[in-house]
Amino acid sequence: MLDHACHPFQILADISRAAEAVDSIDELLQRILTAAVDLFHAKGGTLRVLQLPSNELRLRASVGLSAAYLKKGAVTVQQPLRRIYAEGPLVIHDVQTDPRTQYPDAVAAEGVAAIIEVPFRILPDCHMALRLHFGGPVAPTEEDLGFLTILGRQCAQAIRDTMVPDRYIKTFRNVSRAVHAGNDTAAILQGIVSQITDLLSAAGCIYWIIDTTGRRIEAKVSHGFAFRSLAAVDYAALVKIFDPAPGRTVIIEDAHADERIPDPQGLGKQHIRTVVGLCFEIDANIVGILAVYFSGPRRLTPRDMDFLQVLGEQGAISLLRARCYDARMLDTFRQTVEGLVMALEAKDVVTHGHSLNVGIYARRTALAMGLTPRQADLLYHAGLLHDIGKIGMTDKILARLGRLTPREMGQIRLHPVIGARILEPLLFLDELVPMIRHHHEHYDGSGYPDGLKGEAIPIGARILTACDALETMIAGRPGMPRHPADEAVAELQRGAGSRFDPQVVRALCSVLQAGGIGPDTQFPEAPLPDTTGRFPLGF
């Protein structure tokens, strides 16, 4: 079919030169389609573009076909796009009997007997079909279809080149607005990696945030093919691959053969060829690494690299803003907690130091139970604030703790609810509210204010319940003498399963045994959370 006398590769060279000289994309598409029709001695040809979510292929160029035939009706996609691309070039040998022929009468009137179609993906939401129409039977060889694919790819690339700059500008504008509006950083980064994957027709994209001082990966977002050979690397391997100095660009042309990409077998390395990585400074010791990877050989244009650069920088700006916001929030948190605790202790000098010690017990118990450091820090602060509701109690009641009348006991039992109400408006303390409200619930359901039972009580509140009781027994109250540590432990153990969560009691007892805690033990204050390397992203 292919007319080798026309020197097809010379025609390709001519088309490439024409791409630089033509005044419009439509003129270039017309030239490529005309060359395809001539090379294959076709009756005519069409080039149509599909813009999702529409299923109609709209005409962009045509050669050799009548106006009546071209206006026969809407040309639509009759099967899933995924199936079309799995099949590759389509050959309809007999338009009268093939069910894929949408307008058999119009085709017959035009004198078309066979059709060859080559589909292309221009962008995730934009596709193209190059069709050659023949007046007689066709028997294309692999070489014929391969060359037609090359011509079609020229058209697809030309269309993409006209669309992508606008898409790049629109994407940058949207990301920039999200960053400066203070939108969720995790969502911004997720949008960046997904847009890069789609607009560059990549297999996937990953954005890491790493702490070069702590030598750890702080967070990671990704989109597309799960390239585990890259996505699953640890800090040391990641640094070896990208050597993350701010401003550095790393290009791996063949991931199959590059020793920096680990796990050559079974983890996706065989599905990826080109990897491009860029590094961005976020803060003094925090670096962002943006990597985009392709299933085949790929050489990015300067425009593509500029697109990666500006989106990566926008991600870094968003992270820096989040980091500064986190520091400000932490400072506000510290001042708020310290102010509330000072207000309580100024009102209740009898229990001075009680909240601090409960916070320390709670933090150590949480770690002994395998909770995360962040959860342990939250418990420390919940311990500091667990009795904040007593601010609403009279001095007379506070002075009589340990020897209250039933009426006074009813009033004191309101303090968990009052404390929760005090903290609820402080949104950055919202995780502490359930612990404060329920720190006097009992494991068997006999506690207050809601009579919760077992695991219906938040784990943080169950820990506070035991730590609060322990500190009260060891420190004593007016009318309630101090308990030696061993007696306090025995009392905890007797209450396991009724007043206290048995698992919490075991963990707290292990903390006591390891720390040699007694009534005169001086506890160093647990540090407030450090913002270094931490981001409020929810990863």
Side-chain angles (χ1 to χ4, degrees):
M1 290 182 59
L2 185 61
D3 188 350
H4 290 277
C6 295
H7 302 291
F9 288 99
Q10 180 59 48
I11 291 177
L12 281 179
D14 293 342
I15 289 174
S16 296
R17 285 193 293 271
E20 301 175 359
V22 295
D23 295 328
S24 70
I25 176 64
D26 292 325
E27 181 182 349
L28 178 61
L29 296 178
Q30 194 71 31
R31 286 195 184 191
I32 296 174
L33 184 60
T34 300
V37 169
D38 292 344
L39 278 170
F40 287 87
H41 299 292
K43 179 180 180 63
T46 59
L47 192 151
R48 295 179 180 270
V49 174
L50 170 71
Q51 185 75 49
L52 295 177
S54 169
N55 70 339
E56 181 179 347
L57 286 155
R58 296 188 177 276
L59 189 67
R60 284 296 300 266
S62 66
V63 174
L65 300 171
S66 68
Y69 179 70
L70 295 174
K71 295 179 181 179
K72 59 186 178 296
V75 177
T76 59
V77 175
Q78 296 179 307
Q79 54 185 313
L81 289 173
R82 187 176 300 172
R83 180 180 171 189
I84 292 175
Y85 289 107
E87 294 177 355
L90 307 177
V91 180
I92 299 178
H93 293 281
D94 185 349
V95 295
Q96 293 303 309
T97 60
D98 195 303
R100 292 173 292 184
T101 304
Q102 293 182 18
Y103 300 97
D105 293 341
V107 170
E110 187 71 12
V112 174
I115 295 174
I116 298 177
E117 175 181 308
V118 184
F120 292 93
R121 177 183 183 273
I122 299 173
L123 290 170
D125 62 346
C126 185
H127 301 76
M128 186 197 85
L130 172 63
R131 290 177 177 172
L132 295 184
H133 301 66
F134 297 87
V138 294
T141 65
E142 290 296 325
E143 181 186 9
D144 295 332
L145 295 177
F147 192 81
L148 185 59
T149 298
I150 293 174
L151 286 174
R153 191 173 292 124
Q154 293 267 357
C155 295
Q157 185 62 45
I159 295 173
R160 180 181 179 275
D161 286 346
T162 63
M163 296 178 67
V164 163
D166 289 340
R167 297 288 182 94
Y168 283 179
I169 293 171
K170 181 179 179 181
T171 298
F172 172 73
R173 183 185 300 120
N174 291 339
V175 170
S176 181
R177 284 175 178 170
V179 169
H180 293 286
N183 290 3
D184 178 68
T185 304
I188 291 172
L189 293 181
Q190 193 63 57
I192 286 173
V193 296
S194 62
Q195 289 293 322
I196 287 173
T197 302
D198 291 344
L199 290 178
L200 292 182
S201 299
C205 184
I206 305 174
Y207 204 127
W208 289 272
I209 301 99
I210 66 170
D211 179 350
T212 57
T213 300
R215 298 183 58 79
R216 61 181 179 267
I217 297 173
E218 291 291 346
K220 176 184 69 179
V221 292
S222 62
H223 181 78
F225 172 65
F227 182 21
R228 290 180 57 198
S229 293
L230 189 60
V233 298
D234 58 15
Y235 176 85
L238 189 64
V239 169
K240 180 180 178 181
I241 295 169
F242 295 107
D243 190 14
R248 187 182 303 281
T249 298
V250 174
I251 298 176
I252 298 174
E253 295 183 353
D254 187 358
H256 296 192
D258 198 296
E259 295 181 353
R260 288 173 292 181
I261 304 293
D263 303 320
Q265 301 298 326
L267 293 178
K269 184 172 180 177
Q270 63 271 27
H271 299 297
I272 297 298
R273 183 59 62 88
T274 301
V275 178
V276 178
L278 294 85
C279 303
F280 305 92
E281 182 178 15
I282 296 170
D283 208 341
N285 61 318
I286 304 298
V287 175
I289 301 176
L290 176 65
V292 56
Y293 41 93
F294 303 88
S295 55
R298 182 69 178 270
R299 187 178 297 276
L300 296 183
T301 66
R303 180 182 58 210
D304 295 333
M305 293 300 296
D306 288 343
F307 176 63
L308 287 178
Q309 184 71 32
V310 295
L311 283 196
E313 288 173 351
Q314 288 298 304
I317 291 171
S318 178
L319 286 161
L320 180 58
R321 283 172 172 258
R323 184 174 171 79
C324 293
Y325 176 77
D326 191 35
R328 291 195 300 270
M329 286 296 292
L330 180 60
D331 188 56
T332 300
F333 179 86
R334 179 184 290 109
Q335 293 177 26
T336 301
V337 170
E338 290 175 352
L340 290 172
V341 172
M342 288 176 64
L344 174 62
E345 293 195 344
K347 186 176 182 65
D348 183 16
V349 295
V350 172
T351 58
H352 178 76
H354 168 71
S355 297
L356 174 60
N357 289 343
V358 170
I360 295 171
Y361 282 147
R363 187 177 189 277
R364 293 181 181 178
T365 303
L367 293 173
M369 293 179 66
L371 274 64
T372 66
R374 180 179 181 276
Q375 291 171 317
D377 287 341
L378 287 173
L379 265 161
Y380 170 72
H381 293 108
L384 291 181
L385 292 171
H386 75 285
D387 277 343
I388 195 65
K390 290 180 180 178
I391 287 179
M393 305 288 105
T394 66
D395 294 342
K396 178 181 177 182
I397 290 179
L398 294 177
R400 289 173 48 80
L401 288 177
R403 41 193 173 87
L404 298 173
T405 67
R407 182 175 177 276
E408 290 170 334
M409 181 58 72
Q411 294 182 41
I412 203 70
R413 286 189 171 191
L414 294 175
H415 82 270
V417 175
I418 295 172
R421 289 175 180 169
I422 290 172
L423 299 183
E424 279 173 353
L426 304 174
L427 297 181
F428 56 93
L429 298 179
D430 60 351
E431 293 179 276
L432 307 187
V433 171
M435 304 184 213
I436 305 302
R437 181 180 178 89
H438 298 296
H439 77 276
H440 277 292
E441 305 284 3
H442 291 172
Y443 198 68
D444 62 3
S446 63
Y448 60 90
D450 300 312
L452 299 184
K453 181 178 180 179
E455 294 190 4
I457 307 169
I459 181 61
R462 280 179 267 154
I463 292 173
L464 287 179
T465 299
C467 295
D468 186 19
L470 173 69
E471 205 287 331
T472 299
M473 286 188 287
I474 289 179
R477 292 289 185 273
M480 182 189 298
R482 291 182 174 185
H483 287 61
D486 57 346
E487 291 184 13
V489 168
E491 189 66 27
L492 284 176
Q493 292 172 337
R494 280 192 291 271
S498 56
R499 184 176 177 184
F500 309 118
D501 180 344
Q503 182 184 5
V504 172
V505 170
R506 286 193 295 271
L508 179 52
C509 288
S510 72
V511 169
L512 294 172
Q513 292 168 357
I517 296 173
D520 298 316
T521 301
Q522 295 297 314
F523 299 101
E525 182 174 352
L528 290 166
D530 184 8
T531 57
T532 303
R534 294 180 58 188
F535 297 89
L537 303 182
F539 292 109

